[in-house]
Amino acid sequence: MKAGYGLLLALVFGLAGAGLNYVYIQSKAGQVDLVHFIGVREDREIPQGSQIREEDLVRVPIPKVWVGNLDQFAVPASAWNSVIGQTVVRTKPGRSLILVDDLRTPPPELRLGPDEGLLGVPVDPRSVVPALINPGDRVSFLISQVAFQVPTPADTGDLGGSGGVQAPGGSGGVEVLGPFEVVSVGSRLGSLEVARAARLPQTQENVIGIRVNFDRQGNLPPEVIKLKRLLDLTANRPVTVVLHGKSQKR
């Protein structure tokens, strides 16, 4: 009898302790640190390919202690204004969080006209930071006289005589060719931000692709021919890059 009575008291005290703990947690609820993310309202759905409207969204509070690495995938509420108007790449049902992958920008495609081509030029990564160059920029290439201290082939056209050592003219023994329009930086066809958003691997950024134009007879401009011959003379040795500034409207 006494044993049963003691067990009953233990159960009562246990329930009382649990109740007090619940009351304590509820009293502290207002002091919990919350992290807010962007979600889709319960009564809304955003179809694939549709733009996000403000009335589709709701701020979703999550206790900071439960966030973990969610902030690496979900869009924070601080980006509320930048999310509105963006297109989702998949259907977003109600009561779901907006993820970074939902807003990925599709990678651009290589676009060349019927009379255009792409010429790859090996560049010296010590002379430029590839991340600073984007398709659409203008660059020039510098090839120094030191690079030409090799026997030239018999037929070098306007680049020198036969059997000699080619020494370019240029400025101070440096041949300057350009400007050329950049089409690609390695495998990247758009800005670095677009490539990162699309999670595209960056490869061969030491090769810059430039746009070249053919005339009606299928010939390339003299400067492109000259660049190709100089690259051949140096066995495609990496060249120095000069990034031109963008024109500013006044």
Side-chain angles (χ1 to χ4, degrees):
M1 183 68 179
K2 290 183 179 180
Y5 183 75
L7 182 61
L8 179 61
L9 284 178
L11 180 60
V12 171
F13 282 120
L15 292 174
L20 290 174
N21 188 52
Y22 175 79
V23 172
Y24 177 80
I25 291 176
Q26 291 298 312
S27 66
K28 294 294 183 180
Q31 302 176 18
V32 174
D33 290 333
L34 299 175
V35 179
H36 290 80
F37 295 92
I38 301 177
V40 182
R41 293 175 60 94
E42 183 177 3
D43 57 343
R44 301 277 183 170
E45 180 180 273
I46 309 176
Q48 179 181 11
S50 299
Q51 289 187 339
I52 298 175
R53 301 173 302 175
E54 186 169 11
E55 55 265 31
D56 296 328
L57 305 178
V58 64
R59 290 176 173 83
V60 180
I62 297 179
K64 188 175 182 179
V65 294
W66 296 350
V67 169
N69 63 347
L70 182 62
D71 56 352
Q72 300 179 20
F73 307 97
V75 180
S78 58
W80 182 277
N81 291 331
S82 62
V83 164
I84 296 172
Q86 292 199 45
T87 302
V88 294
V89 298
R90 60 178 63 85
T91 299
K92 296 297 297 180
R95 302 182 66 181
S96 64
L97 292 177
I98 299 293
L99 305 178
V100 175
D101 278 357
D102 297 329
L103 308 176
R104 281 191 309 179
T105 304
E109 299 178 353
L110 180 62
R111 295 182 179 179
L112 296 172
D115 297 322
E116 296 177 335
L118 178 70
L119 175 64
V121 180
V123 301
D124 187 350
R126 297 170 299 180
S127 69
V128 68
V129 179
L132 298 178
I133 302 179
N134 293 308
D137 290 342
R138 297 179 307 129
V139 297
S140 289
F141 303 111
L142 308 183
I143 306 178
S144 66
Q145 182 174 350
V146 176
F148 290 84
Q149 303 307 309
V150 292
T152 60
D155 183 14
T156 56
D158 61 345
L159 294 178
S162 61
V165 174
Q166 176 66 34
S171 175
V174 176
E175 190 77 20
V176 182
L177 294 173
F180 299 100
E181 180 188 349
V182 176
V183 177
S184 62
V185 182
S187 60
R188 179 161 55 88
L189 302 177
S191 68
L192 186 62
E193 290 75 15
V194 170
R196 286 174 175 171
R199 296 186 179 179
L200 296 176
Q202 306 306 302
T203 59
Q204 292 185 302
E205 288 202 330
N206 61 329
V207 178
I208 290 180
I210 60 172
R211 190 185 306 275
V212 296
N213 297 283
F214 296 91
D215 61 20
R216 293 183 178 179
Q217 287 72 40
N219 299 316
L220 289 169
E223 193 168 34
V224 175
I225 296 295
K226 189 174 185 179
L227 173 61
K228 178 62 172 67
R229 287 178 174 173
L230 292 180
L231 291 174
D232 288 344
L233 284 174
T234 61
N236 283 312
R237 187 175 301 175
V239 300
T240 300
V241 182
V242 176
L243 176 62
H244 290 255
K246 294 179 174 62
S247 59
Q248 298 181 354
K249 296 180 180 180
R250 296 185 178 181

